[in-house]
DNA sequence: AAAGATTGACTACTCAATCTTT
DNA sequence: AAAGATTGAGTAGTCAATCTTT
């Protein structure tokens, strides 16, 4: 918790950015080679599948995948266009939608997971021991002190995972 | 180096992606609030400033910032448009350019660094002890076994740092 | 006014194709 | 043919403004 020299922090930062982007690129690349859509699609499908009946408030889904609202809306357009989910007006709150996962959505999510799991194992698991992996997960979690529910506007470029 | 269960790797992956993107977003957001351009600009300017006379082969600069070629070209268009660098045809190799850092480029890089350094200290350094920071840097570096010079086409969305 | 969602216009990224030089 | 660089067309992300409901 003590403040450290900026040099140390910069080294950790540089490695975080380098490793983070490189690993993400490799995993996404593996998926793409197999003809799968971006991982952002997986994230949304997975949030829906975790929810009861595969249904979730649009605003709730948005906050879970850490995407900005305008970004999320356009992502949903594509997912709906592909027949993976439907937007159904919410009966309780007229402002909101409820997202419904379709059978096609479930099928695709399952298929993506096979490739996704393998890619993670290859690009993360294969390079670290069990102990190291635990340490890494622990250290990284310390970088996220507050988990702002909707406090700030997430701005991304197709990232924002969360397997 | 031993293979581990995919569950452990998935947890590390999830944290890596979450922390990595969250920290990057926060740092970039701090910079933007102060009116600075994207960090990708900083990366290029910094590579030029490190080079002798502020001059570097375009292809060499590209490989160092880990951007795809077509992505890098358009980034250079913007930097040149902003007067931060110039593209000068290479006398030795007619196919290539030499990038020249301008005085405006040096000035902006220096100004950006002040904000950048502070943001890294706040979003990385403040959350970890010196020992933890070292551990983190070490673990992350293990995720980058081969450092492909130009072996694969980096595909990014404005990321790809390296302070 | 605030929350949820969406749209238009703009910017940035991506892929494939192209051009020049080696 | 290969390396370095660039462009056109299409896709995706971004910002500000808008609309509806609460």
């Amino acid at each position: 918790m003590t403040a450290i020299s900026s040099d140390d922090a910069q080294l950790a930062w540089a490695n975080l950015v380098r490793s983070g982007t490189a690993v993400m690129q490799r995993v996404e690349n593996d998926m793409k080679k197999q003809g799968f859509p971006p991982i952002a699609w997986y994230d949304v499908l997975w949030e829906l599948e975790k929810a009861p009946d595969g249904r979730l408030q649009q605003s709730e889904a948005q906050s879970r995948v850490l995407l900005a609202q305008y970004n999320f809306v356009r992502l949903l357009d594509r997912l709906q266009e592909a027949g993976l989910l439907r937007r159904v007006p919410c009966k309780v709150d007229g402002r909101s939608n409820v997202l419904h996962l379709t059978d096609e959505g479930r099928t695709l999510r399952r298929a993506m997971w096979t490739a996704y799991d393998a890619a993670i194992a290859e690009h993360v698991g294969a390079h670290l021991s069990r102990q190291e992996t635990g340490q890494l997960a622990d250290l990284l979690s310390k970088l996220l002190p507050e988990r702002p529910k909707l406090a700030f506007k997430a701005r991304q470029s197709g990232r924002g995972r969360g397997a």
Side-chain angles (χ1 to χ4, degrees), chain A:
Chain A
M1 274 305 186
T2 52
I4 60 174
S5 86
S6 63
D7 278 353
D8 291 331
Q10 283 155 31
L11 180 59
W13 159 264
N15 279 337
L16 180 61
V17 170
R18 274 185 190 285
S19 300
T21 56
V23 172
M24 284 190 285
Q25 281 170 18
R26 291 172 188 186
V27 169
E28 282 232 45
N29 213 37
D30 282 8
M31 303 281 291
K32 181 176 296 188
K33 281 179 187 169
Q34 295 172 66
F36 289 116
I39 295 182
W41 290 35
Y42 180 90
D43 294 339
V44 176
L45 295 177
W46 178 230
E47 289 300 334
L48 291 185
E49 192 155 337
K50 280 190 296 187
D53 292 319
R55 301 179 180 191
L56 195 60
Q57 287 280 130
Q58 180 168 323
S59 59
E60 179 59 26
Q62 179 216 316
S63 69
R64 294 191 189 175
V65 296
L66 293 179
L67 281 172
Q69 198 174 44
Y70 50 80
N71 211 339
F72 188 63
V73 165
R74 303 231 144 116
L75 176 56
L76 290 184
D77 289 344
R78 280 167 253 147
L79 290 165
Q80 189 171 33
E81 173 73 16
L84 304 172
L85 57 80
R86 277 172 303 162
R87 273 186 269 213
V88 179
C90 180
K91 291 177 177 58
V92 181
D93 186 340
R95 299 171 299 180
S96 184
N97 294 329
V98 177
L99 303 179
H100 288 214
L101 183 60
T102 65
D103 290 341
E104 292 86 345
R106 288 181 194 276
T107 301
L108 177 62
R109 204 231 32 113
R110 187 187 309 251
M112 286 183 80
W113 174 245
T114 302
Y116 197 12
D117 187 35
I120 293 171
E122 175 183 351
H123 298 294
V124 178
H127 302 295
L128 300 174
S129 70
R130 177 184 300 268
Q131 187 190 15
E132 287 171 334
T133 306
Q135 280 182 354
L136 178 59
D138 190 49
L139 288 171
L140 288 171
S141 68
K142 293 189 177 182
L143 290 180
L144 290 177
E146 337 99 48
R147 183 83 60 94
K149 258 305 198 183
L150 272 182
F152 77 106
K153 274 184 146 189
R155 36 170 302 289
Q156 303 192 316
S157 312
R159 327 243 159 246
R161 300 301 118 65

